[in-house]
Amino acid sequence: MTDTPATDEIAAAEHHHGAIARRVDALHRRVDHLPGGRTALRVLVACVGGAFILAGAAMLVLPGPGWLTIFLGLAILGTEFSFARRINDWLRTQVRRMWAWWKARRGKDGAVSGA
């Protein structure tokens, strides 16, 4: 695929995203047949996703995987809310840019220290 573990992991996650999207679509089809079902689902997703984000924010100063929990909360919110999907897309782009910068920097440092 590619030569870096981070880009391999991102590509694998994007591949699995199709399976998750199909499951979310199937859930939407089932919920749409219930009166008030979609609204209830959106409220549930907002509560669960928001709880993850708040817990992640607390874990930034307490022991625990704060950023990972925040990103998971955004992913949960992204199943129902477009703003969270846009934030996730932006973050994915930033991670790729940072990884490319880090890889280029390590390449320069390795060439200098190896001389």
Side-chain angles (χ1 to χ4, degrees):
M1 207 184 263
T2 60
D3 58 322
T4 60
T7 53
D8 289 345
E9 290 179 21
I10 291 171
E14 287 175 347
H15 175 69
H16 292 302
H17 178 64
I20 293 169
R22 285 192 301 272
R23 289 182 179 165
V24 169
D25 289 340
L27 175 65
H28 285 168
R29 284 191 300 273
R30 286 193 306 266
V31 168
D32 284 341
H33 295 297
L34 301 171
R38 182 58 76 100
T39 303
L41 179 64
R42 288 177 67 92
V43 168
L44 178 67
V45 166
C47 289
V48 171
F52 270 84
I53 290 174
L54 289 175
M59 283 188 256
L60 291 175
V61 294
L62 300 170
W67 286 111
L68 180 63
T69 307
I70 290 171
F71 295 146
L72 183 58
L74 281 171
I76 291 169
L77 288 173
T79 62
E80 285 296 316
F81 301 101
S82 61
F83 78 88
R85 276 192 297 274
R86 287 192 306 271
I87 291 171
N88 278 334
D89 291 342
W90 182 81
L91 286 171
R92 185 180 308 120
T93 301
Q94 298 307 311
V95 167
R96 285 182 176 151
R97 288 178 61 204
M98 182 195 67
W99 185 256
W101 173 83
W102 178 254
K103 183 179 166 187
R105 182 166 186 223
R106 282 187 49 203
K108 287 181 195 173
D109 291 346
V112 171
S113 64

